[in-house]
Amino acid sequence: MNNIYPKHLLMTQFPIHDNCLQVGGMPLTQLAQRVGATPFYAYDRQLITERVTLLRTCLPPEIRLHYSMKANPMPAVVQHMSGLVDGIDVASVGEMQVALNTPMPPNLISFAGPGKGRNELSCAIAAGIILNMESEQEMECVANLGQYLGICPKVAVRVNPNFELRSSSVKMGGGSRQFGVDSERVPAMLTRIDELGLDFEGFHIFSGSQSLKAEAIQESHEKTLQLGMRLAQDAPSPARLINIGGGFGVPYFPGDQALDLMSIGENLYRLLKNIKQQLPETKIALELGRYFVAEAGIYVCRVLERKISRGKVFLLTDGGLHHHLAASGNFGQVIRKNYPVVLGNRVEGTERETVSIVGRLCTPLDLLIDEMEMTKAQIGDLIVVFQSGAYGLTSSPTAFLNHPIPPEILI
Ligand SMILES: *Cc1c(COP(=O)(O)O)cnc(C)c1O
């Protein structure tokens, strides 16, 4: 490699040979031939495995790792994850069915999400998975259904903590939330769980997502475990599990620094000592989605046309926001920034130009890259969007304009 290419755009997890990106040990051009069409998503199973290994190396061995599968629910990915993690967290019955198709035992699958319907709850009770209950109404419904089905439901309480994960871009706990039960109401709920004879598993305390600040995550872990220990005093039986959430972010944009896992691990070693004394029977779980899979995935689309409009170069591609809403900047981002992108089949080129990369949808929001300098593209070249393994295809409005849904592969 010479150093013409801006370093922050090169994702070193995917090597380059003969100026072509290598994915799963294969040149991208060959992979595109194998898939047979563009656009597509590709996820590298080796990179996912390495990510889990990295976590296991940096974190205390007692920490359980759960995969929050809404980040990437492709069945092959979930199957792969099931062999690597200690539990799967689902957020719908559709996800539950995918998780149940893997070898993961039902008692290691948990179901969170507000507003679960009676039918969903009875599917989950019959499956024997753990219900992370998000309200008192849900608790009564679960007890009722359990009696009707003749099965004792396994339940945990999803707690809305009285603090939030500082610096996370998606806040999901603290203050008034549609998620979970306000922590001050949990003791009364625990009494009622006892009266109803539900099988008490523990607590689920999740405060936010996509944080790159180790200190903020450490602070959240400390407060979360304190809250868990305090609530456990009122529990009908010893909590078997406290799920302390996740929120580990990945770098997307220039200037983003990868998370300092070592310091998060050291902090957890320290906190666990205390937990082991106070709650010897309680296991601690982290639930992560994005951090496991985001960096292992790419989205690939093809240049269909070069269009120059009053001096500005647009690369028209067969991709777009209907496949990758997050890269277009429309998935909750406050300020639009470019995802890291390269020409996968010709990474380096002496001829370079500033381009905007767009799709075929009839909206100016259909913008994958806004004015970025890259190797001069030709028709047929492959555009690769990195950091696309999480919240990609299934977080995008694929029905908009009714183009075909792109294939996903796990290589
Ligand atoms: C979405 C979600 C996660 C996963 O968040 P990531 O940022 O992808 O790690 C974890 N727990 C709950 C309850 C969620 O809703």
Side-chain angles (χ1 to χ4, degrees), residues 68 70-71 158 172 204 206 209-210 247 287-290 391:
S68 176
K70 75 171 188 294
R158 171 132 180 222
M172 293 181 66
H204 176 209
F206 177 78
S209 180
Q210 179 53 19
E287 98 190 308
L288 301 167
R290 189 191 307 272
Y391 304 107

Side-chain angles (χ1 to χ4, degrees), residues 11-193:
M11 296 292 136
T12 49
Q13 69 269 38
F14 294 102
I16 293 159
H17 291 155
D18 297 334
N19 213 15
C20 185
L21 199 73
Q22 307 290 304
V23 182
M26 185 188 283
L28 177 69
T29 44
Q30 187 184 344
L31 185 66
Q33 289 291 341
R34 185 190 119 166
V35 176
T38 51
F40 61 90
Y41 275 92
Y43 314 119
D44 182 323
R45 83 176 72 226
Q46 185 60 33
L47 290 177
I48 297 175
T49 305
E50 286 170 11
R51 181 47 62 98
V52 179
T53 307
L54 177 70
L55 280 155
R56 300 259 190 227
T57 312
C58 297
L59 304 178
E62 309 91 302
I63 291 280
R64 309 200 144 213
L65 295 176
H66 286 197
Y67 178 46
S68 176
M69 67 172 274
K70 75 171 188 294
N72 188 329
M74 182 198 184
V77 168
V78 182
Q79 178 80 22
H80 182 62
M81 287 303 294
S82 73
L84 300 172
V85 296
D86 312 303
I88 298 177
D89 294 323
V90 305
S92 71
V93 163
E95 287 190 357
M96 178 189 88
Q97 302 298 6
V98 173
L100 287 170
N101 283 342
T102 72
M104 187 63 74
N107 65 343
L108 299 177
I109 298 174
S110 56
F111 182 5
K116 300 180 197 75
R118 281 183 77 81
N119 190 46
E120 293 175 292
L121 290 171
S122 67
C123 288
I125 295 166
I129 70 170
I130 290 154
L131 280 159
N132 292 344
M133 303 185 302
E134 309 242 355
S135 71
E136 290 88 349
Q137 178 185 310
E138 186 176 316
M139 168 178 65
E140 298 297 331
C141 188
V142 165
N144 198 270
L145 288 166
Q147 234 165 14
Y148 174 75
L149 295 167
I151 301 169
C152 182
K154 294 185 180 51
V155 298
V157 179
R158 171 132 180 222
V159 182
N160 176 27
N162 46 0
F163 54 86
E164 58 188 32
L165 174 52
R166 279 194 299 123
S167 87
S168 74
S169 65
V170 187
K171 294 193 174 20
M172 293 181 66
S176 303
R177 297 284 161 193
Q178 73 264 50
F179 308 109
V181 179
D182 295 344
S183 47
E184 56 276 19
R185 290 223 301 270
V186 172
M189 201 164 160
L190 293 168
T191 308
R192 186 69 182 141
I193 287 174

Side-chain angles (χ1 to χ4, degrees), residues 106-355:
N107 65 343
L108 299 177
I109 298 174
S110 56
F111 182 5
K116 300 180 197 75
R118 281 183 77 81
N119 190 46
E120 293 175 292
L121 290 171
S122 67
C123 288
I125 295 166
I129 70 170
I130 290 154
L131 280 159
N132 292 344
M133 303 185 302
E134 309 242 355
S135 71
E136 290 88 349
Q137 178 185 310
E138 186 176 316
M139 168 178 65
E140 298 297 331
C141 188
V142 165
N144 198 270
L145 288 166
Q147 234 165 14
Y148 174 75
L149 295 167
I151 301 169
C152 182
K154 294 185 180 51
V155 298
V157 179
R158 171 132 180 222
V159 182
N160 176 27
N162 46 0
F163 54 86
E164 58 188 32
L165 174 52
R166 279 194 299 123
S167 87
S168 74
S169 65
V170 187
K171 294 193 174 20
M172 293 181 66
S176 303
R177 297 284 161 193
Q178 73 264 50
F179 308 109
V181 179
D182 295 344
S183 47
E184 56 276 19
R185 290 223 301 270
V186 172
M189 201 164 160
L190 293 168
T191 308
R192 186 69 182 141
I193 287 174
D194 198 19
E195 284 166 13
L196 293 168
L198 300 171
D199 185 8
F200 176 70
E201 170 81 6
F203 300 104
H204 176 209
I205 311 173
F206 177 78
S207 49
S209 180
Q210 179 53 19
S211 173
L212 287 171
K213 295 236 159 56
E215 319 85 72
I217 291 175
Q218 285 166 217
E219 183 189 313
S220 158
H221 285 166
E222 176 144 20
K223 287 183 179 168
T224 303
L225 284 168
Q226 272 166 6
L227 179 60
M229 283 191 284
R230 186 156 57 76
L231 295 173
Q233 291 168 356
D234 292 314
S237 53
R240 293 194 285 259
L241 188 80
I242 300 178
N243 177 339
I244 61 171
F248 293 14
V250 302
Y252 287 99
F253 308 117
D256 282 359
Q257 290 287 322
L259 197 58
D260 178 6
L261 261 193
M262 289 307 277
S263 67
I264 292 174
E266 282 164 21
N267 185 55
L268 281 172
Y269 270 104
R270 180 176 69 81
L271 296 172
L272 283 194
K273 270 193 212 142
N274 196 8
I275 289 277
K276 272 187 236 165
Q277 279 171 357
Q278 293 209 34
L279 302 173
E281 290 159 272
T282 306
K283 303 255 187 316
I284 305 299
L286 279 174
E287 98 190 308
L288 301 167
R290 189 191 307 272
Y291 197 74
F292 284 130
V293 290
E295 294 173 83
I298 56 173
Y299 171 65
V300 182
C301 60
R302 198 182 287 278
V303 178
L304 300 174
E305 207 178 310
R306 292 171 50 86
K307 181 172 224 164
I308 300 172
S309 167
R310 301 198 170 118
K312 185 167 167 170
V313 183
F314 291 94
L315 302 179
L316 260 70
T317 69
D318 54 7
L321 77 73
H322 53 322
H323 304 152
H324 203 329
L325 190 65
S328 78
N330 293 297
F331 190 59
Q333 292 95 328
V334 183
I335 304 164
R336 192 196 173 284
K337 291 183 189 160
N338 289 330
Y339 265 48
V341 165
V342 292
L343 272 194
N345 56 309
R346 270 179 319 115
V347 178
E348 285 287 352
T350 41
E351 245 193 305
R352 300 179 59 78
E353 68 180 350
T354 297
V355 296

